Amino acid sequence: MKVNNVILQFTAKIVFFIIFFFAIHIFFAGHYTPGGGFVGGLVTASAIVLLIIAFDLNTVQRLLPINYVYLVAIGLILALGTAAISMFVDQPFFTHFFDYFYLPLFGKTSLHTAALFDLGVYLVVVGVTMTIIQTIGDDE
Amino acid sequence: MNNFLLLPIIIPFFFAMILMFGQKNLKYQRITTILGLIISIICAFALLFNVKENGPQSLTLGSWPVPFGITMVSDMVSALLVLTTLLITFFIVWYGFGSIGKERERFFYYPGVMFILTGVNGAFTTGDIFNLFVFFEVLLMASYLLIVLGGEKAQLRESIKYILVNVISSALFVITVAYLYSVVGTLNMADISVKITEINQPGIVTVIAVLFLLVFGMKAAIFPLYFWLPNAYAAPPIPVLALFGALLTKVGVYAIMRTYTLFFTHDLAFTHELLLVLAILTIIAGSIGALAHFDVKQIIIYNIVIAVGVILFGVAQMNEVGLEGAVFYLIHDMIIKAALFMLIGIVIYVTGTTNLKKMGGLMKNYPSLGWFYLIAALGLAGVPPLSGFIGKLLIIQGGFQAGNTWSSIFILASSIVVLLSVIRIFIYAFWGEQGQVSNNINKTTFNIMFFPTVLLVFISILYGVGTEFIVPFMDDAAKVLSDPSIYTDAVLKGGN
């Protein structure tokens, strides 16, 4: 019997974007409110897992042709690189920098290098979670 | 700023990341790993001489004031251990080119080695008790990968036990840190030392000291907690075994050494007496195991347990001579254990068996292997010009100074057992009738395995013969360990 998943697949397509944007929101809100790279990464991974449940592993891999192991490595390099910036300006390792900028559209915004570090954490969490799920899912 | 002391941690970490790319390209993997190790070794050498010139270096991450940020401290003990770790890993990786096998090399073996180095060097360098836990986890996670990599039946079976034991001991570590934090209210090791001195170590801190002994003793394999080690270490292939045998238990030993010389120094009659008794029992248990087995791997593995006991006996004396001996013996043991595992790896490769009774007569075809094994074996037992002598001498001198006459004589006697256990391998494998020989011995593979081993044995000989040059470094190390105020001053007043 052929199972028709039309409702699940249609809902998943919409809900994916809601979850994904919520994850981005959590990620950027992390400095002043609960949230940050770790939860943001997990929620993003859960959005991709929803797609995998609604469709299947191969479809999602074609949709998002990402090598998640490389994503982990890039995230780690980003985190280490952010921490290492301070080494080149003669400050102790892991010293962060911030300043206020006037961006068009956003107005006065504080930009902090901790966000870059968090982006590294985000990528590592997404990469690790997806590697685990894909590897177990692929296993025959 | 003094970021230099971080380089032996950051460089392996960075190389581990870039090794995650190009997983199938063996040439890239090997060259990058060797390059990373050479750069780290140069940095570690420079760091060692820097610490010798300018005293302990400390750096608080993120420009925070001292007890509030994570402090990294490189004193003589940690600088020496970091350098030894990197040197040994260099030779083991080189040795692995011949014996680890392409399948493993293609599947994140080298990133695993580099992550283990990150963890080990970080644990040696950190000045924050919770950060020590994190680095322990870094090295343990990487060791889980290396122990199971390859997926043979024995590896799968033993990795479950290994992970189980380490998860439990890590949970205990967190609980112990929580107790300590609730008593002293700080995590910075120098600050903890000062706070414990202020409150003059009440009973609860002694309880925490014993809990720390339980936690680190499980990692370092001391007497009642060594049960997991012999089987777990026998499972992975020889280069991984050499890496584990040389580095992992020694991190636990270092952690005991650090906590028992820096924190818990006010109730010696209880804590250090307990450490002394456990050290003696560890030596007895190791000796029994080393004599009982006819499996070459098991004999050397039980010798790890004996060495852990000897080093901790030196720590338990709590005088400068004993501590200097402990550091001397610790570094000797890291080098010689790596060399011995590599040597028996070659013996196993040549004979195709680990059973001593099936071997024999290797001296005729492999004389140089035999003589280098003999040198390493005598070095392990502590025959005078070689590397094990001076460390054990100082440990026993410390024992006599502290008035532990009988147990010191006991340590001397244990050397005979050690010698007997390793010489038995020499007699069975190299003398007598021709025994079993593997029928596919590749000359190139043999050479790739043989050269790094010989170089490492040479380093151990230099370490013994050139004691004169090493003594000033060891004196500094012993001073830092026997006088906690050097350490706390360097962190709390020196680093700002």
Side-chain angles (χ1 to χ4, degrees):
Chain A
M1 193 185 77
K2 197 170 181 297
V3 184
N4 201 338
N5 281 334
V6 68
I7 295 178
L8 177 65
Q9 292 186 346
F10 178 75
T11 327
K13 277 179 206 162
I14 296 168
V15 173
F16 169 78
F17 285 102
I18 299 173
I19 299 178
F20 183 68
F21 287 126
F22 182 56
I24 302 291
H25 170 74
I26 289 179
F27 172 75
F28 279 113
H31 198 70
Y32 294 108
T33 53
F38 187 78
V39 236
L42 277 186
V43 174
T44 308
S46 70
I48 303 174
V49 170
L50 179 70
L51 282 189
I52 294 177
I53 292 170
F55 296 90
D56 65 281
L57 215 52
N58 293 332
T59 320
V60 177
Q61 268 167 0
R62 249 184 297 124
L63 200 68
L64 301 166
I66 302 170
N67 185 336
Y68 289 105
V69 175
Y70 289 177
L71 198 67
V72 174
I74 291 167
L76 283 173
I77 288 173
L78 195 63
L80 183 71
T82 315
I85 295 173
S86 51
M87 287 174 82
F88 298 106
V89 293
D90 217 23
Q91 290 285 322
F93 190 68
F94 253 116
T95 306
H96 284 293
F97 305 96
F98 68 96
D99 207 347
Y100 293 94
F101 295 96
Y102 287 92
L103 301 178
L105 215 64
F106 288 105
K108 187 185 176 193
T109 319
S110 70
L111 295 183
H112 200 300
T113 48
L116 278 178
F117 182 81
D118 239 17
L119 185 63
V121 176
Y122 176 89
L123 293 179
V124 172
V125 172
V126 173
V128 168
T129 320
M130 292 317 297
T131 311
I132 293 171
I133 289 168
Q134 275 193 351
T135 316
I136 296 174
D138 258 345
D139 212 25
E140 290 299 318
Chain B
M1 282 310 290
N2 190 4
N3 281 308
F4 194 74
L5 69 97
L6 293 175
L7 288 184
I9 308 167
I10 294 175
I11 293 170
F13 190 35
F14 177 70
F15 275 88
M17 293 166 187
I18 58 173
L19 281 169
M20 287 168 78
F21 299 101
Q23 173 190 359
K24 307 283 180 207
N25 187 343
L26 281 191
K27 211 177 219 173
Y28 163 76
Q29 293 273 322
R30 289 177 174 185
I31 291 173
T32 318
T33 311
I34 287 295
L35 190 71
L37 285 170
I38 289 173
I39 298 173
S40 324
I41 289 170
I42 293 168
C43 288
F45 256 114
L47 178 64
L48 182 72
F49 286 106
N50 195 0
V51 172
K52 179 75 196 135
E53 286 279 294
N54 307 324
Q57 314 272 310
S58 82
L59 171 85
T60 305
L61 299 184
S63 311
W64 295 103
V66 164
F68 305 115
I70 291 171
T71 310
M72 304 299 267
V73 189
S74 197
D75 58 359
M76 193 43 94
V77 187
S78 74
L80 280 169
L81 288 171
V82 163
L83 176 62
T84 319
T85 303
L86 289 167
L87 266 180
I88 289 171
T89 315
F90 175 76
F91 289 111
I92 292 174
V93 166
W94 182 2
Y95 179 90
F97 292 163
S99 61
I100 192 77
K102 289 196 170 52
E103 284 308 306
R104 287 190 173 90
E105 282 181 281
R106 285 203 189 95
F107 219 86
F108 301 115
Y109 167 71
Y110 293 114
V113 171
M114 291 312 236
F115 276 125
I116 248 189
L117 272 186
T118 314
V120 172
N121 285 345
F124 285 148
T125 314
T126 187
D128 183 287
I129 196 77
F130 195 77
N131 198 235
L132 179 67
F133 167 76
V134 174
F135 276 121
F136 259 108
E137 288 305 302
V138 171
L139 75 92
L140 285 174
M141 296 271 171
S143 76
Y144 301 154
L145 165 74
L146 291 181
I147 201 172
V148 81
L149 188 62
E152 290 159 22
K153 196 175 169 192
Q155 283 184 304
L156 293 174
R157 186 183 63 232
E158 297 308 329
S159 65
I160 292 173
K161 296 180 196 164
Y162 179 73
I163 292 172
L164 206 59
V165 165
N166 277 306
V167 166
I168 291 168
S169 81
S170 295
L172 262 178
F173 194 170
V174 176
I175 293 166
T176 313
V177 170
Y179 283 146
L180 185 64
Y181 185 67
S182 69
V183 173
V184 295
T186 177
L187 292 169
N188 185 302
M189 277 156 62
D191 205 27
I192 293 174
S193 171
V194 172
K195 294 267 162 62
I196 289 180
T197 310
E198 274 170 17
I199 57 176
N200 201 19
Q201 196 164 348
I204 181 73
V205 177
T206 306
V207 172
I208 292 168
V210 175
L211 276 172
F212 266 125
L213 190 61
L214 197 70
V215 169
F216 296 136
M218 215 182 262
K219 318 256 186 207
I222 63 173
F223 163 63
L225 307 166
Y226 74 103
F227 55 88
W228 55 272
L229 181 120
N231 287 330
Y233 277 24
I238 292 289
V240 176
L241 168 60
L243 204 61
F244 282 18
L247 304 182
L248 293 196
T249 51
K250 305 306 181 292
V251 185
V253 172
Y254 166 81
I256 293 177
M257 209 180 211
R258 186 59 91 192
T259 48
Y260 271 62
T261 56
L262 191 61
F263 299 172
F264 311 114
T265 52
H266 308 283
D267 191 6
L268 296 185
F270 184 78
T271 50
H272 288 62
E273 203 62 35
L274 178 69
L275 188 61
L276 184 98
V277 172
L278 286 178
I280 299 282
L281 290 173
T282 309
I283 295 170
I284 294 175
S287 303
I288 292 172
L291 290 182
H293 281 277
F294 271 93
D295 181 304
V296 274
K297 273 190 194 174
Q298 293 292 342
I299 292 174
I300 309 292
I301 287 170
Y302 274 103
N303 269 299
I304 300 177
V305 179
I306 301 177
V308 166
V310 173
I311 298 164
L312 290 182
F313 181 84
V315 176
Q317 305 313 320
M318 223 25 212
N319 52 26
E320 207 174 311
V321 187
L323 288 169
E324 185 169 350
V327 180
F328 245 115
Y329 201 77
L330 179 56
I331 291 179
H332 143 77
D333 192 62
M334 290 167 82
I335 297 172
I336 205 78
K337 283 288 143 60
L340 276 173
F341 278 123
M342 286 153 83
L343 282 163
I344 62 157
I346 299 174
V347 171
I348 293 169
Y349 176 72
V350 169
T351 57
T353 173
T354 62
N355 189 343
L356 260 188
K357 286 178 177 164
K358 290 185 186 158
M359 299 176 184
L362 287 179
M363 208 50 161
K364 199 182 280 173
N365 293 328
Y366 301 97
S368 51
L369 180 64
W371 293 118
F372 277 113
Y373 179 80
L374 186 66
I375 291 170
L378 293 178
L380 180 73
V383 174
L386 297 170
S387 59
F389 172 67
I390 190 78
K392 213 171 249 178
L393 178 74
L394 290 170
I395 287 176
I396 288 160
Q397 197 185 334
F400 278 118
Q401 257 182 35
N404 298 317
T405 316
W406 277 109
S407 42
S408 306
I409 292 171
F410 184 84
I411 301 277
L412 279 175
S414 79
S415 299
I416 299 172
V417 177
V418 170
L419 184 64
L420 180 61
S421 69
V422 282
I423 284 297
R424 226 167 41 155
I425 299 182
F426 182 70
I427 291 172
Y428 274 86
F430 289 96
W431 287 359
E433 293 294 303
Q434 185 67 47
Q436 185 181 329
V437 178
S438 173
N439 44 17
N440 50 351
I441 302 166
N442 184 341
K443 197 69 196 158
T444 352
T445 314
F446 180 82
N447 284 340
I448 292 175
M449 288 160 84
F450 191 61
F451 282 121
T453 314
V454 168
L455 285 176
L456 201 54
V457 175
F458 267 121
I459 287 179
S460 88
I461 296 172
L462 282 180
Y463 185 78
V465 176
T467 305
E468 199 71 33
F469 299 102
I470 303 163
V471 164
F473 295 96
M474 294 295 170
D475 279 342
D476 281 13
K479 275 201 193 79
V480 172
L481 286 178
S482 60
D483 182 6
S485 67
I486 299 177
Y487 185 94
T488 51
D489 285 352
V491 176
L492 297 174
K493 291 173 192 159
N496 37 16

